[in-house]
Amino acid sequence: MRENVSNYRRGVMSLVILSLLRRGDMYGYQLVQETERASGGKLTTQEGSLYPVLYKLQEQGLISDRRELVGKRMTRNYYHLEQAGRERLTEMQAEYEELTAGVFAIIHREEAAQ
């Protein structure tokens, strides 16, 4: 069961990351902060959990990254949404909305029956 929750969370995080990157390029910690801010604190993640999802999205060709020098010695990886990522985001949004509508229909139908 725990593995299913983990897979579900990764899928949701892929959707969240692609959605955030649609707004503009962001670096890892910025994605963590923006996820919490934009969700009103309902969705939080750690950088360590975020990077495997970012790497998978890169492998799939949905996002790319670029290194940028910040200050004298520090570099940041900024992630960018590619056209393939925009197209996949549209598909993922439709799939997620359909799935959650079905789940809510079941939950609310059962609540009303009680």
Side-chain angles (χ1 to χ4, degrees):
M1 172 99 166
R2 189 76 186 139
E3 185 177 326
N4 289 339
V5 170
S6 181
N7 288 338
Y8 177 77
R9 185 165 178 76
R10 268 194 300 276
V12 168
M13 285 311 299
S14 293
L15 177 59
V16 166
I17 290 167
L18 294 176
S19 296
L20 290 173
L21 291 177
R22 182 175 44 196
R23 301 175 187 178
D25 296 356
M26 295 185 194
Y27 56 94
Y29 184 64
Q30 187 178 12
L31 285 164
V32 168
Q33 290 179 312
E34 191 58 21
T35 296
E36 186 171 353
R37 189 200 66 74
S39 70
K42 291 178 178 61
L43 185 60
T44 60
T45 190
Q46 302 289 322
E47 276 185 271
S49 301
L50 179 74
Y51 285 106
V53 179
L54 288 169
Y55 298 150
K56 185 171 183 172
L57 293 171
Q58 282 184 289
E59 288 172 10
Q60 295 170 340
L62 303 179
I63 65 172
S64 60
D65 71 334
R66 72 175 192 287
R67 294 181 80 82
E68 213 172 274
L69 188 63
V70 179
K72 293 186 180 204
R73 287 181 267 187
M74 191 174 121
T75 59
R76 274 192 189 135
N77 273 357
Y78 282 86
Y79 296 92
H80 174 78
L81 182 63
E82 296 295 335
Q83 184 58 37
R86 290 181 190 284
E87 293 166 7
R88 181 65 185 124
L89 174 58
T90 300
E91 295 168 0
M92 289 175 77
Q93 281 178 292
E95 292 166 4
Y96 185 79
E97 288 171 7
E98 185 176 333
L99 176 67
T100 54
V103 170
F104 283 131
I106 292 168
I107 292 170
H108 293 301
R109 187 171 295 133
E110 293 202 2
E111 287 175 352
Q114 292 180 1

